[in-house]
């Protein structure tokens, strides 16, 4: 087997990406989406993404930020913010939201995230006048990836559990827990 000399030249990928899409949603109809992403935004391996899906009845402007290896090589700082406008027959909604927290990898297969979130907005229904609301929450998400490949899985499974307790105000004070479970 002898020794062979290998010359390897590593070049960085482009840091910025711009994309667009034509979409169809059964609730909102035809729409368009524009996205912009900057990888290595502050030269620390972080990523900033801006997304703007627009349908006739709904428009969103969302920003997502991820800073890897935040205070530990197994966790990332994540943050997001969004403006949303919906105007459909059942209601009219205008809102802003923000969330920030940590995602921690406990093993190659298991990761858990914990965020603090805040949302405020104005909601109007045909039966009621326009009313303001706000919600404060603490979403917890656990993801288990038992697939044989992250990008091209041919066997295995993935489990995702989300539990989001919220307190807030809309006509009166409320407490609610939103849950979701996905398996594939």
């Amino acid at each position: 087997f002898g020794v062979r000399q290998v010359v390897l030249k590593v070049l960085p990928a482009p840091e910025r990406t711009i994309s667009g899409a034509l979409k169809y949603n059964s609730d909102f109809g035809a729409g368009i989406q524009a996205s912009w992403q900057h990888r290595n935004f502050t030269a620390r391996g972080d990523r900033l993404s801006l997304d703007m899906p627009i349908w006739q009845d709904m428009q969103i402007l969302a920003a997502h930020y991820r800073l890897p290896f935040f205070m530990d090589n197994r966790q990332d700082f994540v943050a997001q913010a969004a403006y949303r406008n919906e105007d459909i027959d059942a209601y009219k909604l205008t809102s802003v939201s923000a969330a920030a927290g940590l995602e921690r990898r406990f093993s190659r297969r298991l990761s858990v995230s914990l965020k603090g979130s805040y949302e405020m907005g104005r909601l109007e229904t045909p039966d009621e006048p326009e009313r303001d609301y706000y919600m404060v929450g603490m979403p917890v998400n656990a993801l288990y990836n038992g697939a044989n490949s992250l990008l091209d899985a041919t066997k295995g499974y993935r489990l995702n559990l989300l539990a989001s307790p919220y307190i807030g105000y809309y006509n009166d004070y409320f407490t609610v827990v939103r849950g979701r479970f996905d398996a594939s």
Side-chain angles (χ1 to χ4, degrees):
F1 283 69
V3 176
R4 293 194 172 256
Q5 182 178 5
V6 176
V7 177
L8 185 66
K9 186 175 182 180
V10 179
L11 299 172
E15 293 182 342
R16 292 171 194 84
T17 303
I18 297 174
S19 64
L22 298 175
K23 294 185 162 200
Y24 182 80
N25 182 298
S26 59
D27 290 333
F28 301 108
I32 60 171
Q33 179 168 350
S35 298
W36 174 85
Q37 185 177 83
H38 190 305
R39 292 170 295 282
N40 208 20
F41 184 64
T42 63
R44 297 185 297 171
D46 53 346
R47 183 174 62 231
L48 176 65
S49 302
L50 301 176
D51 296 303
M52 190 171 58
I54 298 174
W55 288 273
Q56 180 178 341
D57 298 332
M58 181 174 68
Q59 303 82 40
I60 301 172
L61 176 58
H64 301 273
Y65 179 75
R66 176 179 296 273
L67 176 62
F69 312 120
F70 182 74
M71 297 172 52
D72 189 291
N73 65 351
R74 295 172 296 170
Q75 69 188 16
D76 299 348
F77 172 77
V78 292
Q80 59 199 51
Y83 169 80
R84 175 186 220 92
N85 182 58
E86 293 182 47
D87 190 356
I88 61 175
D89 294 338
Y91 62 88
K92 182 178 180 180
L93 170 73
T94 304
S95 69
V96 293
S97 61
L102 296 175
E103 285 185 7
R104 183 164 183 111
R105 294 168 295 282
F106 289 96
S107 70
R108 181 172 110 26
R109 299 192 181 275
L110 177 66
S111 64
V112 175
S113 70
L114 175 66
K115 298 176 188 169
S117 71
Y118 181 77
E119 180 177 332
M120 63 183 277
R122 180 162 288 152
L123 182 64
E124 180 181 351
T125 65
D127 303 334
E128 296 183 14
E130 197 173 84
R131 291 203 172 112
D132 292 337
Y133 75 93
Y134 72 87
M135 299 186 326
V136 177
M138 187 69 64
V140 178
N141 191 64
L143 175 64
Y144 184 82
N145 186 352
N148 64 341
S149 171
L150 185 62
L151 299 176
D152 189 23
T154 57
K155 63 181 180 176
Y157 56 92
R158 292 182 177 135
L159 305 173
N160 191 11
L161 176 64
L162 173 68
S164 304
Y166 290 98
I167 60 170
Y169 185 84
Y170 179 71
N171 292 336
D172 197 3
Y173 291 98
F174 65 86
T175 302
V176 65
V177 176
R178 179 180 152 216
R180 180 176 174 166
F181 177 71
D182 297 314
S184 60

